[in-house]
Amino acid sequence: MTEAVLAAHRALYDAVESGDADLMSALWVDDPETSCVHPGAPILRGTSEIVRSWVVLMAQIGYIQFFLTDVEVTTLPLGSGAPETAVVSCTENILSGDPDQPGGIAAATSFGAATAQSTSILVRHEAGWQFWLRHASPVMVSMDEIEEN
Amino acid sequence: MTEAVLAAHRALYDAVESGDADLMSALWVDDPETSCVHPGAPILRGTSEIVRSWVVLMAQIGYIQFFLTDVEVTTLPLGSGAPETAVVSCTENILSGDPDQPGGIAAATSFGAATAQSTSILVRHEAGWQFWLRHASPVMVSMDEIEEN
């Protein structure tokens, strides 16, 4: 079950990397109450609005690759043998290439790196595990830095 | 039930505003798998670590007040009459005063304003609804700005 959750979770990043809007759309519960927070942005509600935002973002990206670390899955209710909710947290280590440079990584002449922290909620639905919510935020400071202030 | 979820959710902000570490501690499930993401920071795991971070943050704050807007509650499993998981999203409009100026709002000589987007997961536990996860992020850009780039 955890494997099915992780496969659906990873597929979101595959969809962005390959610019596959149909896959992205299929990964979300089709509901006006779903939500997505892109790093630094306000919340978006509703699957059509969320998928549209991903299509816009994918259109602006030349090359992007996500290296996920510290991936943790919790299923809810806690201790249930048949959970219907899964929470996935991970650190997204993002490598992106020059959007004006076609041809992918081999042709890209400049790269950017960024780190984001993401929380996703997936629910068990007719079509398997699907995204109900994703909240990603930029990692700009360490807690040590906060505590030192 | 939604009222009980919202009361527990609001109590977290009351705890920060009043610097009440005991209340903050009581609001969280006591578990090493709980998690908290402060705006711009990496994830913290485990209730003792999370409460410690709040105590540090509260010690650095002179005056703070949270005006919550766009508060939305979803209970999971979807359609269940006895949900055990609640997801609360809201926009945090934050007013804070000079940390070096004692005496609260009447004495504060400078104020800062900030906006954050937060997602919280609360679970129904022995003690009522308690926080399992909170993820807050700075709101720095609008989706319109992203799309205009």
Side-chain angles (χ1 to χ4, degrees):
Chain A
M1 181 191 59
T2 301
E3 289 71 20
V5 171
L6 286 173
H9 181 258
R10 177 65 226 184
L12 182 134
Y13 298 94
D14 295 341
V16 181
E17 289 178 0
S18 60
D20 188 337
D22 290 337
L23 174 57
M24 177 60 74
S25 182
L27 290 168
W28 287 81
V29 179
D30 186 10
D31 194 288
E33 298 293 315
T34 54
S35 63
C36 184
V37 179
H38 294 294
I43 194 168
L44 296 173
R45 288 190 196 281
T47 303
S48 60
E49 188 72 9
I50 292 166
V51 172
R52 196 177 77 86
S53 76
W54 281 112
V55 170
V56 169
L57 290 167
M58 291 188 290
Q60 295 172 352
I61 295 165
Y63 168 80
I64 191 163
Q65 193 166 2
F66 292 89
F67 301 92
L68 305 184
T69 53
D70 298 310
V71 181
E72 296 279 347
V73 181
T74 304
T75 54
L76 299 172
L78 295 167
S80 167
E84 299 199 42
T85 304
V87 181
V88 185
S89 68
C90 72
T91 303
E92 304 171 353
N93 306 278
I94 307 160
L95 182 67
S96 58
D98 185 343
D100 298 325
Q101 186 76 38
I105 191 166
T109 52
S110 69
F111 288 100
T115 304
Q117 183 67 43
S118 86
T119 298
S120 297
I121 300 175
L122 289 83
V123 297
R124 193 204 294 269
H125 213 248
E126 297 150 13
W129 289 93
Q130 288 183 300
F131 278 81
W132 176 257
L133 174 150
R134 175 172 177 269
H135 189 150
S137 59
V139 177
M140 301 183 292
V141 295
S142 70
M143 279 308 295
D144 289 344
E145 286 178 80
I146 292 173
E147 295 183 12
E148 280 164 11
N149 283 335
Chain B
M1 182 192 59
T2 301
E3 289 72 21
V5 171
L6 286 173
H9 180 259
R10 177 64 226 184
L12 182 135
Y13 298 94
D14 294 342
V16 181
E17 288 177 359
S18 61
D20 188 338
D22 290 337
L23 173 58
M24 177 61 73
S25 182
L27 291 169
W28 288 81
V29 179
D30 186 11
D31 193 288
E33 298 293 315
T34 53
S35 63
C36 184
V37 179
H38 293 295
I43 193 167
L44 297 172
R45 289 190 194 281
T47 303
S48 60
E49 188 72 9
I50 292 166
V51 172
R52 197 178 76 87
S53 75
W54 282 111
V55 170
V56 170
L57 289 168
M58 291 189 288
Q60 295 172 353
I61 295 166
Y63 168 81
I64 191 164
Q65 193 166 2
F66 292 90
F67 301 92
L68 306 184
T69 52
D70 298 311
V71 182
E72 296 279 348
V73 182
T74 303
T75 54
L76 299 172
L78 295 168
S80 168
E84 298 199 43
T85 305
V87 181
V88 185
S89 68
C90 72
T91 303
E92 302 172 354
N93 305 279
I94 306 161
L95 182 67
S96 58
D98 184 344
D100 298 326
Q101 186 77 38
I105 192 167
T109 52
S110 69
F111 288 100
T115 305
Q117 184 66 44
S118 87
T119 298
S120 298
I121 300 176
L122 289 84
V123 297
R124 193 203 294 268
H125 212 247
E126 296 150 14
W129 290 93
Q130 287 183 301
F131 278 81
W132 176 258
L133 174 150
R134 176 173 176 269
H135 188 149
S137 59
V139 177
M140 302 183 291
V141 295
S142 69
M143 279 307 296
D144 288 344
E145 286 177 81
I146 292 173
E147 294 183 12
E148 279 164 10
N149 284 336

